[in-house]
Amino acid sequence: MRRKDDLAIDRIKECAKAEFLEKGFEGASMRTIAERAGYTTGILYGRFADKSRLFRELVQEGADELSAYYSDVQEEFASFPADRQRREMHSYVDGKVGEMVDIIYRHFDAFKLIVCKSAGSGYEYYIEKMIDIETESTERFIRTLNRAGIRTNEIRADLSHILASALFNGFFEVVAHDFPKEYAKAYIRQLQDFFNAGWDSLLGLAPEDGRTRQQ
């Protein structure tokens, strides 16, 4: 049988999620959360020091799982020899996207809060941090190919960041618009196909055999 305190925390978290989803982090009120849960603000603050701590309690597990998985994927890819990176530049990441979607849908409410309701919280720039990882990984990938004698067209860092931003903001549209999971996977596959073709063109790499196609 669960302890009374555990049940109180579950009730508070349930009501906090409803409050944050309705009003966003900035508009949510600890007093209102306490009232919704049927507790005093003293009881609420006794378990969660402030609104930021309560929001983090709701989103941290999913957020950490996704960011750790994505970082691991990028680091593993970077460990491959240059010729393998060139050969698998699309297929490797495409093969990992399904697991990223699975993580998001296992923690869908958490990502709904992050994507749509996190302004003013410690998770406001969560997606931007992933964009930064993507941008740095792209620049590292280009350097790796060029050092190995696989020449690419020069890509400005600001363009790389803009494209990474477009990709990730497009990716998280599935959360913003409450796509069913299977629809989300099909949409993201199409999004990946679009960006893969675009990167082949920008880098000047023929998708069939990796030969450089200079602009």
Side-chain angles (χ1 to χ4, degrees):
M1 188 171 181
R2 302 191 65 197
R3 294 188 302 121
K4 185 176 179 179
D5 193 58
D6 291 335
L7 295 173
I9 289 173
D10 286 349
R11 177 64 181 161
I12 289 168
K13 287 166 64 175
E14 177 186 341
C15 293
K17 181 170 69 175
E19 175 79 356
F20 287 130
L21 286 171
E22 180 182 332
K23 300 176 183 176
F25 175 81
E26 291 181 323
S29 161
M30 289 288 274
R31 180 176 296 279
T32 302
I33 292 169
E35 290 173 354
R36 291 177 100 155
Y39 296 111
T40 66
T41 53
I43 289 175
L44 178 59
Y45 280 108
R47 288 157 176 79
F48 300 98
D50 54 30
K51 190 165 65 171
S52 294
R53 181 69 186 86
L54 185 48
F55 191 87
R56 185 166 68 249
E57 181 72 20
L58 294 171
V59 305
Q60 185 173 23
E61 181 181 358
D64 287 354
E65 185 178 353
L66 182 64
S67 60
Y69 180 78
Y70 182 68
S71 295
D72 288 346
V73 165
Q74 293 293 350
E75 290 303 315
E76 182 179 47
F77 182 78
S79 72
F80 297 160
D83 60 341
R84 182 178 176 187
Q85 288 192 35
R86 169 63 193 98
R87 189 170 63 252
E88 300 182 15
M89 61 181 285
H90 301 318
S91 62
Y92 175 81
V93 175
D94 289 352
K96 305 296 184 180
V97 167
E99 176 59 22
M100 292 176 66
V101 175
D102 288 342
I103 293 169
I104 289 169
Y105 277 78
R106 280 199 297 273
H107 306 277
F108 191 85
D109 287 346
F111 284 100
K112 188 74 172 182
L113 289 171
I114 291 169
V115 172
C116 302
K117 304 294 182 177
S118 64
S121 77
Y123 288 84
E124 180 175 1
Y125 300 107
Y126 177 85
I127 297 174
E128 187 64 35
K129 291 175 183 177
M130 296 189 74
I131 290 167
D132 288 343
I133 293 172
E134 177 72 14
T135 302
E136 292 166 6
S137 297
T138 298
E139 293 171 354
R140 180 172 58 188
F141 167 70
I142 293 171
R143 289 195 303 270
T144 297
L145 293 192
N146 289 339
R147 282 199 298 263
I150 305 171
R151 305 308 302 171
T152 68
N153 295 323
E154 184 177 352
I155 305 295
R156 288 171 55 103
D158 52 3
L159 175 59
S160 181
H161 185 271
I162 288 168
L163 292 172
S165 180
L167 173 62
F168 271 90
N169 282 294
F171 186 96
F172 282 104
E173 284 291 295
V174 303
V175 176
H177 295 288
D178 299 308
F179 285 9
K181 183 177 177 180
E182 290 309 310
Y183 183 21
K185 286 191 171 184
Y187 161 81
I188 289 170
R189 281 195 298 270
Q190 291 178 316
L191 190 70
Q192 288 290 111
D193 288 345
F194 177 84
F195 276 93
N196 289 346
W199 273 112
D200 285 335
S201 178
L202 286 172
L203 291 171
L205 295 172
E208 298 85 3
D209 56 15
R211 290 175 299 179
T212 301
R213 183 178 66 249
Q214 295 295 334
Q215 296 175 339

